Amino acid sequence: YQRRVHGKIPGSSMAAEPAPCSAESVVYEVCQGEEQLPVFKELLRRDLSEPYSVFTYRYFLHNWPQLCHVAKDGDKIIGVVVCKMEPHSNPHTQAVVSRGYIAMLAVEPSYRRLGIGTRLVNIAIEKMIAEKCEELCLETEAVNAPALALYQKMGFVRDKRLHKYYLNGGDAYRMKLWLN
């Protein structure tokens, strides 16, 4: 499964810093499993506020490999999205829905503002819709304005503020996107 980005960055009017490639040359593919794990683990380690063990990454890769994608410039991994999808019981209606979860998203700093993060999330959403996902959620740091802007631009809404959610004491927002 591979996709190439064509066209300009949707909704972007700001000039991006020069990157080693253009958005059109980025290739997107399903994670190849254990052989790519050290590379995308390092990419995520630099971007995320929480330290994750190798077992966390393996949990997602082995259970939902079709929902974990990388962006590549040639052979170099420059972005990654790690997701899962499971049945979820709505506490208000007791109805069981299929809920997707974006656990991790990272893009190499020199490749940001090219639409790579947006495209990775869109690929994950497309896959989840194809698997009959009804809603999608994620958490992001309350102080991470670029992430909040990205997700809001994509239609996610802030569901609730999670006080002292992260190990560093920082707050998070749980964000949701309804797909049906």
Side-chain angles (χ1 to χ4, degrees):
Y1 175 80
Q2 288 190 342
R3 291 184 179 236
R4 289 191 178 274
V5 173
H6 296 286
K8 64 178 203 160
I9 304 166
S12 176
S13 60
M14 296 180 66
E17 291 183 27
C21 74
S22 68
E24 291 81 15
S25 66
V26 176
V27 175
Y28 298 87
E29 61 187 33
V30 172
C31 290
Q32 301 302 310
E34 290 288 326
E35 59 269 11
Q36 290 179 330
L37 184 60
V39 178
F40 83 70
K41 183 179 159 196
E42 178 60 22
L43 180 61
L44 289 162
R45 184 196 62 77
R46 283 182 281 169
D47 264 12
L48 302 181
S49 59
E50 295 288 293
Y52 292 103
S53 78
V54 69
F55 301 108
T56 302
Y57 300 110
R58 286 181 176 149
Y59 168 73
F60 287 97
L61 276 176
H62 292 285
N63 290 298
W64 301 276
Q66 77 283 9
L67 299 178
C68 300
H69 291 81
V70 294
K72 294 171 75 177
D73 178 13
D75 290 334
K76 180 181 180 186
I77 294 174
I78 58 169
V80 63
V81 65
V82 177
C83 306
K84 72 176 186 173
M85 197 171 91
E86 297 181 305
H88 176 74
S89 178
N90 182 319
H92 304 291
T93 66
Q94 302 306 312
V96 176
V97 298
S98 183
R99 176 188 272 182
Y101 179 70
I102 298 176
M104 301 167 219
L105 172 68
V107 175
E108 203 49 74
S110 63
Y111 289 85
R112 292 185 185 157
R113 306 222 44 90
L114 294 175
I116 295 167
T118 299
R119 187 67 197 122
L120 283 166
V121 172
N122 277 329
I123 289 169
I125 291 170
E126 290 167 12
K127 287 288 209 171
M128 289 186 213
I129 288 172
E131 293 187 27
K132 309 293 187 231
C133 185
E134 298 174 60
E135 64 183 41
L136 185 55
C137 70
L138 59 90
E139 291 88 25
T140 191
E141 289 181 276
V143 296
N144 189 342
L148 290 166
L150 168 80
Y151 293 123
Q152 287 174 321
K153 181 177 79 173
M154 298 182 79
F156 284 83
V157 296
R158 294 180 194 187
D159 183 47
K160 68 170 112 173
R161 188 173 185 120
L162 305 168
H163 296 281
K164 297 186 180 185
Y165 182 77
Y166 294 106
L167 291 175
N168 65 9
D171 292 355
Y173 282 112
R174 174 161 298 132
M175 301 186 79
K176 287 189 177 177
L177 176 68
W178 288 269
L179 301 172
N180 57 1

